[in-house]
Amino acid sequence: MANLKLIDIKKSYGKTEVIHGLDLEVLDGEFCVLVGPSGCGKSTLLRMIAGLEAITEGSILINDEKVNDISAAKRGLAMVFQSYALYPHMTVRQNLAFGLENLKLDKDDIEQRITKAANQLRMEDYLKRRPGQLSGGQRQRVAIGRAIVREPSIYLFDEPLSNLDAELRVATRVELKALHARLGNTMIYVTHDQVEAMTMADKIVVMHDGIIEQTGSPLDLYNKPANLFVAGFIGSPKMNFLDSSLLPEDIKKLAPKGASTFGIRPEHLKIQDQNALPLEVRSVEQLGSDSYLYGVTIDKQEISIKLNNQTSIKGGESIKVGFNQSNTHWFNEKGVSL
């Protein structure tokens, strides 16, 4: 196991800087998720940690040892890719053994590691199959198994579930979290899916345009977003944002000094008359246990509502929605949380 420190990390391609002086610490045994939209620099950062991409400036420390000039093979890390990267002509067992054989490990040691990984990932039944005979979920298990047998100090995951269907993603997500609990190793996981981040992470790092917008536990980021970007990115459906100057007077009086934008999550809105916003409902989605209402305020600002029940409300109706003051978020004109 190991901890990781990134100190003033910068990455440039020619004159274009894509990572801008980034600092981060991942503690021993943490499950840290790097999350952000496509192009924010999270996969580039992961590849620099792995040693697959050179840094332009800064320091990478593993267990307080600087590894900038240490090759990927000697950093004691293992990476699981989105594409599985399995050898199609080899059996599962051969795929698991290949890297270990290149390290000249003893045959008995290799066999013990394969058996242990197969048991942990419940893939004993298909060790003799080739990747083409496996489902997407089974192939992803093999890719994870190939990392496990190396017994690395840190596991790196680059969007490993993005090729799986929705149901399998949920199941594999649960398995990965359970695997982390069993292994206890440090894991750094890249995704653009904030639901994955919220459900798996001990620590979430929200990235945007090559910088870290906020770092914290899932509930820290959900309850106390640092700015408009984090508030809009963390949470599903995303937070509603309204121009505070256009709010009704009974809501506007709740605003702190300097407030420019009012934020409220769809799940924190309820149908009521006090502290209320009048809305015209445009459409309704009934999901059985939940209902989603999409509407506009009298000044045509869009707003969504999540109700934890079924509803008889239909598109075209006028309603009023309110909230508890403790669930409100306010942001200044620069988008910083107040």
Side-chain angles (χ1 to χ4, degrees):
M1 295 192 285
N3 59 37
L4 171 78
K5 291 180 183 177
L6 307 180
I7 303 171
D8 197 24
I9 297 295
K10 296 180 182 178
K11 177 64 179 178
S12 299
Y13 295 102
K15 295 182 179 180
T16 304
E17 188 172 86
V18 295
I19 301 290
H20 312 286
L22 185 149
D23 295 305
L24 176 65
E25 182 174 9
V26 181
L27 302 178
D28 186 14
E30 269 191 324
F31 196 127
C32 178
V33 177
L34 309 180
V35 67
S38 296
C40 71
K42 55 190 185 296
S43 289
T44 299
L45 182 61
L46 195 73
R47 290 176 64 83
M48 288 193 290
I49 294 168
L52 301 175
E53 189 92 43
I55 65 172
T56 304
E57 290 184 36
S59 299
I60 299 174
L61 281 71
I62 297 174
N63 282 337
D64 298 320
E65 178 188 357
K66 189 173 179 180
V67 298
N68 291 30
D69 300 321
I70 296 177
S71 68
K74 295 181 179 179
R75 291 192 184 187
L77 314 179
M79 192 159 177
V80 179
F81 297 93
Q82 174 183 343
S83 61
Y84 313 138
L86 302 177
Y87 297 105
H89 62 288
M90 293 183 182
T91 65
V92 169
R93 181 182 293 277
Q94 289 169 334
N95 266 281
L96 296 177
F98 184 74
L100 303 180
E101 290 169 347
N102 285 343
L103 294 174
K104 309 297 185 184
L105 295 187
D106 179 82
K107 286 186 178 181
D108 289 340
D109 187 13
I110 292 174
E111 186 58 33
Q112 287 176 4
R113 293 190 187 200
I114 291 173
T115 301
K116 184 178 178 181
N119 289 336
Q120 288 174 327
L121 296 168
R122 300 193 304 278
M123 57 185 190
E124 303 98 320
D125 293 340
Y126 47 91
L127 287 173
K128 295 181 180 179
R129 300 185 199 175
R130 288 185 169 81
Q133 298 171 305
L134 304 178
S135 67
Q138 289 170 333
R139 276 179 277 178
Q140 190 54 271
R141 283 189 191 181
V142 177
I144 295 168
R146 198 165 58 178
I148 288 175
V149 295
R150 294 186 58 190
E151 299 181 353
S153 57
I154 300 176
Y155 290 85
L156 307 176
F157 296 90
D158 190 7
E159 305 214 39
L161 308 185
S162 58
N163 288 334
L164 305 181
D165 62 49
E167 184 176 350
L168 194 53
R169 285 182 75 160
V170 172
T172 309
R173 193 171 74 206
V174 172
E175 288 183 1
L176 270 176
K177 186 64 177 173
L179 179 67
H180 175 253
R182 291 196 300 271
L183 296 177
N185 289 65
T186 307
M187 294 186 176
I188 303 172
Y189 186 104
V190 161
T191 182
H192 63 273
D193 185 335
Q194 58 91 19
V195 174
E196 282 184 17
M198 289 291 290
T199 54
M200 299 175 73
D202 301 319
K203 175 187 287 179
I204 295 177
V205 179
V206 181
M207 294 186 63
H208 182 221
D209 289 341
I211 66 168
I212 292 176
E213 295 282 358
Q214 189 175 357
T215 300
S217 73
L219 290 183
D220 283 342
L221 271 59
Y222 177 85
N223 293 324
K224 298 178 181 178
N227 53 43
L228 276 170
F229 179 82
V230 176
F233 196 84
I234 297 294
S236 181
K238 72 176 186 177
M239 186 183 289
N240 295 296
F241 297 118
L242 301 176
D243 184 335
S244 58
S245 68
L246 301 177
L247 295 171
E249 284 302 319
D250 59 341
I251 298 177
K252 195 182 297 186
K253 68 183 180 182
L254 303 175
K257 185 177 179 180
S260 176
T261 301
F262 167 69
I264 187 76
R265 296 195 182 279
E267 58 269 32
H268 291 154
L269 288 168
K270 49 193 174 183
I271 298 171
Q272 64 179 44
D273 291 327
Q274 189 177 6
N275 284 344
L277 282 166
L279 298 177
E280 178 190 340
V281 178
R282 292 285 177 87
S283 63
V284 178
E285 293 178 346
Q286 299 272 18
L287 300 184
S289 60
D290 302 320
S291 305
Y292 292 87
L293 281 58
Y294 302 94
V296 292
T297 63
I298 56 176
D299 43 52
K300 304 305 179 185
Q301 297 186 84
E302 294 185 356
I303 197 165
S304 59
I305 306 137
K306 179 186 178 184
L307 303 177
N308 295 320
N309 50 43
Q310 298 176 11
T311 182
S312 59
I313 297 171
K314 293 180 170 55
E317 292 187 30
S318 295
I319 62 171
K320 288 184 178 181
V321 294
F323 49 86
N324 292 327
Q325 186 175 347
S326 60
N327 292 325
T328 60
H329 300 266
W330 302 91
F331 306 89
N332 66 20
E333 62 181 9
K334 294 183 179 179
V336 177
S337 183
L338 296 172

